[in-house]
Amino acid sequence: TEGGKYEYQRRNHPHVSSLLPLDVQCTRAIGKFLGRHNLNALRDSGSFRFIVDWLVTLSCPSVAFVKPSAAFNFLQLSSSDHLKKYKYGSHFMQEIHLYERLSATKCTGFVFFVHGGAWGSGMPWMYRLVAGGFLQAGMSVAIVGYRTYPCADVNAQVHDLESAATFLAANRPDLFENSHGEKRRNCCLIGHSSGAHIALLMLVERVRKYMSFTSLTSFRREARFTTVDFDSFVGLSGPYSIDRHFHFEARRGVEELSPMKAACGHSSEEFFHNSPAFRLKKILTEFDEDEKHCICKFVPRMLLVHGIEDTTVPFTATSLAANILTHCGVAQCDEAYISKTGHQDTIMHFMLGGKTQETVMAWLVQMKQPAKNQIQSKI
């Protein structure tokens, strides 16, 4: 009921006004006009994906007018000197765009970037500008494409990410080794929006896998080094609690058009199962108390970032996930809340420069320091 939606909103997202903004009112009106059947047809046929990707493609030239240097950087990153493309599967979306510094310069780290798009849109080239800041910092960047809904649900998307990581570890081991052939540290997994959600789900599934073989040291060692072993994770504006986010989408009137419900399951049970922090909490119940301390060995250091002014995914999604992860035993889960920043702003800061990029880069620099100099914090 409408009253139930507002009560749920007041309890879980008290910072969000109970008054519906104009854009939400328009969305709800359009949804009522089209009806549930037509909205589901747009979502399940792939038309939603086509429309969103087409609109993003049309809007790209406007960046050249807003910031001409960004257009130049985009073309520069498109050159074969920086960009290499790899197929890790048979589907056209299963593609990795790898950006590297020139061979004469030293590589200091690696970024595995997972784009967002509400589980149902987005392609690697749209996020090409994200690579620029990391390249300047001396890091190689892999922007990973994966099958989006309706071609895949969240579990298949997680499988795609793991397949991409395995492919890179097998075919480009030089990305993860220093000049002496030793394993390189500073391998960072970064995801934005729904990309942050499935990236964190991948890490949680690794915990399940590795904890299942804690008594088989040789197998665990083999498993960890046949894929990319991330030592840090950065989540940007992630909707980590699917059940809560479904109710939030329902308030906005987009729950039948958004791919989230279909990609994450159609029930509260599936929503909770596909929420990374809740899934980790459930996994830990499968092990004895003396085994749970192993989680610290398998979960990398984390930074969860969210814009205070985010009206697409409220920042309470990050605070809830961080609280559960910390109570599950994650050794370091920092939180950064960026003022005057919305949902798309967090990723645009990486493309055009801004507070989010500065915060994440400063955190990554801190992670290179000895552990005794690191401070767990809420920024």
Side-chain angles (χ1 to χ4, degrees):
T1 64
E2 290 297 313
K5 291 179 182 179
Y6 291 128
E7 176 61 22
Y8 188 92
Q9 182 79 12
R10 184 188 66 79
R11 290 199 315 268
N12 295 286
H13 311 294
H15 66 288
V16 178
S17 173
S18 60
L19 298 176
L20 295 177
L22 182 60
D23 60 332
V24 173
Q25 293 183 43
C26 292
T27 301
R28 289 166 66 99
I30 293 172
K32 288 182 179 180
F33 175 76
L34 292 176
R36 179 178 178 177
H37 176 76
N38 290 325
L39 292 174
N40 289 171
L42 283 171
R43 178 194 68 195
D44 299 336
S45 65
S47 298
F48 171 84
R49 179 173 65 193
F50 173 79
I51 293 170
V52 172
D53 288 344
W54 180 71
L55 290 174
V56 171
T57 302
L58 288 180
S59 67
C60 284
S62 64
V63 176
F65 295 97
V66 176
K67 193 170 183 178
S69 60
F72 174 78
N73 292 337
F74 184 91
L75 294 175
Q76 189 176 42
L77 289 169
S78 304
S79 70
S80 57
D81 292 336
H82 289 289
L83 172 61
K84 294 182 177 64
K85 298 180 181 179
Y86 297 96
K87 294 287 295 181
Y88 67 90
S90 58
H91 197 277
F92 75 94
M93 290 183 173
Q94 294 172 315
E95 185 175 62
I96 301 168
H97 288 195
L98 179 64
Y99 301 87
E100 298 181 86
R101 290 175 61 87
L102 300 179
S103 57
T105 59
K106 181 181 178 181
C107 179
T108 61
F110 174 77
V111 170
F112 188 96
F113 181 82
V114 185
H115 67 76
W119 300 272
S121 63
M123 291 179 281
W125 70 264
M126 297 175 179
Y127 297 83
R128 187 165 296 167
L129 288 174
V130 170
F134 293 109
L135 290 175
Q136 291 178 10
M139 305 175 75
S140 298
V141 183
I143 299 181
V144 181
Y146 54 91
R147 291 170 296 166
T148 55
Y149 187 83
C151 295
D153 62 10
V154 290
N155 294 303
Q157 291 172 11
V158 169
H159 181 269
D160 279 2
L161 299 187
E162 195 65 81
S163 297
T166 301
F167 176 90
L168 286 174
N171 294 276
R172 290 299 307 270
D174 56 298
L175 293 170
F176 316 107
E177 299 174 352
N178 59 25
S179 57
H180 302 291
E182 301 169 336
K183 180 180 176 297
R184 185 196 306 283
R185 303 305 297 169
N186 200 25
C187 290
C188 183
L189 172 64
I190 300 180
H192 173 250
S193 191
S194 59
H197 166 258
I198 61 174
L200 187 53
L201 264 184
M202 178 178 70
L203 294 179
V204 170
E205 278 304 299
R206 286 187 175 190
V207 171
R208 183 198 299 275
K209 177 181 179 181
Y210 296 150
M211 289 188 69
S212 298
F213 293 93
T214 51
S215 60
L216 301 175
T217 306
S218 60
F219 180 89
R220 187 170 72 253
R221 183 181 301 112
E222 180 182 353
R224 288 176 66 84
F225 288 98
T226 55
T227 187
V228 181
D229 189 16
F230 300 106
D231 51 36
S232 59
F233 167 71
V234 177
L236 307 172
S237 308
Y240 306 109
S241 174
I242 300 302
D243 186 69
R244 283 198 176 196
H245 194 60
F246 171 76
H247 287 282
F248 188 77
E249 284 195 343
R251 177 182 180 269
R252 297 171 60 215
V254 298
E255 76 278 13
E256 298 299 340
L257 177 62
S258 167
M260 189 201 73
K261 182 173 75 170
C264 295
H266 292 267
S267 67
S268 293
E269 291 77 12
E270 286 296 313
F271 290 166
F272 277 107
H273 177 69
N274 288 318
S275 299
F278 288 105
R279 186 183 291 193
L280 179 61
K281 189 176 180 180
K282 177 66 167 57
I283 289 173
L284 293 181
T285 64
E286 302 170 6
F287 299 90
D288 297 331
E289 286 296 327
D290 58 346
E291 294 178 307
K292 292 181 181 180
H293 70 279
C294 293
I295 186 176
C296 296
K297 302 178 183 179
F298 306 132
V299 179
R301 298 163 296 189
M302 295 186 179
L303 173 66
L304 304 184
V305 184
H306 222 112
I308 294 293
E309 305 299 328
D310 193 331
T311 58
T312 302
V313 181
F315 72 82
T316 46
T318 282
S319 60
L320 174 65
N323 181 269
I324 297 175
L325 291 169
T326 300
H327 281 83
C328 285
V330 175
Q332 182 169 352
C333 184
D334 296 337
E335 304 163 57
Y337 299 96
I338 313 298
S339 63
K340 300 179 181 179
T341 301
H343 188 72
Q344 295 302 328
D345 294 335
T346 52
I347 194 63
M348 293 305 295
H349 288 173
F350 276 92
M351 296 183 180
L352 306 178
K355 293 181 290 185
T356 308
Q357 183 188 52
E358 295 168 0
T359 300
V360 172
M361 296 303 290
W363 185 82
L364 290 175
V365 170
Q366 183 191 18
M367 291 303 99
K368 296 180 183 179
Q369 300 175 1
K372 63 181 181 180
N373 294 330
Q374 295 175 13
I375 301 175
Q376 186 171 0
S377 60
K378 181 180 291 188
I379 307 175

